[in-house]
Amino acid sequence: MIVNRIGDFGLALGILTIFVKFQSVDYATVFSIAPLYIGYQFNFFNFNFDLLTVICLLLFVGSVGKSAQLGLHTWLPDAMEGPTPVSALIHAATMVTAGVFLLARSSPLFEYAPNALSVVTIFGAMTAFFAASTGLLQNDLKRVIAYSTCSQLGYMVFACGLSNYSVGVFHLANHAFFKALLFLGAGSVIHAVADEQDMRKMGGLRKLVPFTYSVMMIGSLALMGFPFLTGFYSKDVILEVAFGKYSIPGHFAYILGSFAAFLTAFYSMRLAYLTFLTEPNGYKPVITHAHDSP
């Protein structure tokens, strides 16, 4: 909650700045007046700041808080103590999508603030890489999937930072579906092994919960960007637009995004292997009672 309040504080400051200068918080009004403020400077503590850049950076702080970008990302893995249907909703429908949606919805403002867009790109790329590298070492089943969400949100944010908002929102929609599938599958696994979340105490579940195993594999393959599943199309096009910008932030995002894609495949397969494919590692009564959810 506290981490989200920090993001909300930045968002509130951005909205108040818009209201003070534009005297409206209506999207259509603000977007139509925005071109008149190109290059407009205001003085604060004897420094001159570009108005549109400041507004966009403040809005982005709100986005960092909600979409768990680097710095304000800690609430997302910590929220994994809740029930899995709640996790699926948080990741797919409501909370973490709000930040990316804010960037896409405010795109006419951001287009007049190229410096803010560079910041968005760099933050998104760093988040994608950092969260993927953290996900490699987690042992809690849901926490791995949470860091994976954090990483994918980094992709969406840097796609928006490269002015390809439609691509970011496309990945957002794709990710919502396969991530909800993964969380509900994880819930089924956790229920099957008597509410155990540590992957090191699972294993050998592929024959005991075949249906859950199959949906988890489909979700993981989509997340990795396996050809002909939706994740493949959106991830591929995000990396293509990053490379095709021929700018320093673009190439930075492309390199870190490519590394993150490799790490994503690695931790997804690690999750599948530890949970379903290895020899059983749990207690005998727990493993023998494992069953698919009705």
Side-chain angles (χ1 to χ4, degrees):
M1 285 298 176
I2 294 169
V3 172
N4 263 296
R5 290 297 76 76
I6 299 168
D8 296 344
F9 181 65
L11 177 62
L13 284 179
I15 295 170
L16 293 173
T17 313
I18 288 175
F19 187 72
V20 166
K21 286 295 177 189
F22 294 72
Q23 302 206 341
S24 168
V25 285
D26 178 53
Y27 279 121
T29 313
V30 172
F31 293 161
S32 56
I33 301 173
L36 303 175
Y37 282 100
I38 295 173
Y40 179 88
Q41 306 254 322
F42 69 95
N43 195 286
F44 183 70
F45 282 144
N46 239 356
F47 291 99
N48 282 330
F49 293 98
D50 183 64
L51 175 72
L52 290 173
T53 304
V54 168
I55 287 175
C56 289
L57 286 175
L58 287 171
L59 291 179
F60 180 58
V61 171
S63 182
V64 168
K66 271 287 176 264
S67 280
Q69 297 301 293
L70 196 56
L72 299 178
H73 64 277
T74 49
W75 67 267
L76 189 59
D78 290 345
M80 290 306 101
E81 303 311 319
T84 42
V86 176
S87 298
L89 280 174
I90 284 176
H91 287 252
T94 51
M95 278 200 49
V96 294
T97 53
V100 180
F101 177 79
L102 172 68
L103 292 177
R105 189 68 182 85
S106 317
S107 55
L109 278 180
F110 277 88
E111 286 305 299
Y112 294 123
N115 292 343
L117 281 178
S118 297
V119 172
V120 173
T121 307
I122 288 165
F123 260 82
M126 286 179 358
T127 306
F129 179 73
F130 150 81
S133 63
T134 313
L136 291 175
L137 299 162
Q138 299 298 315
N139 293 312
D140 183 321
L141 179 65
K142 283 174 73 183
R143 207 168 267 259
V144 174
I145 309 178
Y147 274 110
S148 138
T149 296
C150 199
S151 174
Q152 299 305 306
L153 285 164
Y155 277 98
M156 299 168 209
V157 166
F158 83 64
C160 290
L162 296 166
S163 303
N164 284 283
Y165 305 96
S166 55
V167 173
V169 174
F170 175 43
H171 193 52
L172 180 75
N174 284 343
H175 173 259
F177 284 95
F178 55 71
K179 193 48 63 77
L181 176 67
L182 278 170
F183 265 112
L184 294 172
S188 181
V189 170
I190 291 167
H191 177 69
V193 291
D195 299 334
E196 175 62 64
Q197 293 199 15
D198 191 333
M199 291 193 295
R200 293 169 297 183
K201 295 184 186 172
M202 297 179 191
L205 293 177
R206 68 185 182 283
K207 290 177 180 158
L208 303 170
V209 285
F211 180 71
T212 306
Y213 169 59
S214 55
V215 296
M216 286 287 277
M217 282 311 289
I218 292 169
S220 293
L221 288 171
L223 172 64
M224 287 182 240
F226 191 78
F228 311 117
L229 293 168
T230 54
F232 166 70
Y233 297 102
S234 52
K235 266 179 120 161
D236 216 45
V237 78
I238 285 178
L239 292 173
E240 278 173 29
V241 297
F243 187 72
K245 277 288 171 196
Y246 296 112
S247 63
I248 292 173
H251 275 265
F252 179 76
Y254 170 72
I255 292 165
L256 285 189
S258 301
F259 271 124
F262 170 74
L263 296 176
T264 304
F266 192 94
Y267 64 66
S268 297
M269 284 320 295
R270 173 178 177 265
L271 180 141
Y273 184 74
L274 285 177
T275 310
F276 299 108
L277 303 173
T278 54
E279 294 304 307
N281 276 326
Y283 297 107
K284 188 176 176 185
V286 172
I287 298 290
T288 49
H289 282 103
H291 58 280
D292 255 330
S293 302

